[in-house]
Amino acid sequence: MSNSWTSASGADLSAGYARHAGTLRGALRHALVARALRTHLPSWEQRVLDVGGGDGHQAVQLARAGHHVTVLDPDPAMLQRAQARVEAEPDHVRGRIRLVEGAGENAAQLVGSGFDLVCCHGVLMYLPNPDPFLHALAGVARDGGLLSVLTKNGQALAMRPGLEGRWADALAAMNTRREIGNLGVPTRADTVGDVERILGEADAATIAWYGVRVFTDHLGDTPVGEGFDQVLEAEWQAGARDPYRLVARHFHLISRRVGS
Ligand SMILES: C[S@@+](CC[C@H](N)C(=O)[O-])C[C@H]1O[C@@H](n2cnc3c(N)ncnc32)[C@H](O)[C@@H]1O
């Protein structure tokens, strides 16, 4: 499998992603990731790199909280959406966000190093091999800096097709940890253990991990409705404890680079 996002040339994945972000599932993912980041980030100004930061949703949340954010992403269509989102913000927020076109593998050359936080949310699943990518990301975090990785949960990939009654897909997902994702391109899933091992080799140790979408992943494109805060609270609490988080759609792992 090559990078299934960047090799889907001609298909505007950014439009499909924008549609998804407006659904309950998309909104919950963003809100749960933001809440975990708030839990672990110091409140004073941080230097953040969002690798594969896409349309800038998380960058804007972080910049509103006072942090300086560089978004590094190879997809011009996603960056164009990020640019529009950033332009809608007041000057002091806009001034804290920088958009850079390029691949995470080249982060050190493109944006330098020493970041307090390096994010990578919803990117690994499109890559053929997470190892070199995560090593590159760990390499641009400062000693003591945080890494935030969200990807598909390989131990529970069959939950969605299973709950939707798609039995052939459930069997395939269990046995291959691959599937055609929401946007119609091939994706891969990793396990918490896989990512912990790779980051461990890159001198980063896990601080916490959360399950993202335990109760709502089978709801298709249900829009955000009334009671969102209660759904969010239920998902947040389930995502922080076993056994619920083990069957979540994604895992969100936060680690700290300890330095070599
Ligand atoms: C599903 S979107 C996620 C966007 C954003 N992180 C979020 O959580 O909303 C996946 C993003 O990964 C980016 N991407 C794909 N290959 C990449 C690579 N090699 N380096 C950095 N970003 C990459 C895509 O361009 C796209 O913007």
Side-chain angles (χ1 to χ4, degrees), residues 214-250:
V214 175
F215 301 129
T216 49
D217 197 63
H218 62 297
L219 294 180
D221 288 342
T222 300
V224 177
E226 278 177 29
F228 180 79
D229 289 349
Q230 206 171 23
V231 183
L232 179 62
E233 188 58 29
E235 286 283 6
W236 172 254
Q237 291 199 23
R241 66 178 81 169
D242 290 340
Y244 301 106
R245 65 178 182 165
L246 298 170
V247 296
R249 181 61 173 176
H250 299 101

Side-chain angles (χ1 to χ4, degrees), residues 190-216:
D190 293 296
T191 65
V192 172
D194 294 333
V195 172
E196 284 190 319
R197 175 191 56 77
I198 300 165
L199 289 176
E201 288 164 5
D203 298 317
T206 302
I207 295 174
W209 75 267
Y210 303 89
V212 171
R213 287 204 315 253
V214 175
F215 301 129
T216 49

Side-chain angles (χ1 to χ4, degrees), residues 96-125:
R96 295 191 196 114
I97 301 176
R98 182 163 77 110
L99 305 178
V100 178
E101 188 175 327
E105 290 86 338
N106 304 324
Q109 300 92 298
L110 293 170
V111 296
S113 59
F115 289 92
D116 299 308
L117 166 68
V118 178
C119 299
C120 174
H121 305 144
V123 182
L124 285 191
M125 57 266 255

Side-chain angles (χ1 to χ4, degrees), residues 1-6 13 17 122-128 183 185-188:
M1 179 178 131
S2 55
N3 181 325
S4 61
W5 187 289
T6 53
L13 297 185
Y17 190 68
V123 182
L124 285 191
M125 57 266 255
Y126 301 103
L127 307 181
L183 303 178
V185 297
T187 57
R188 272 183 339 97

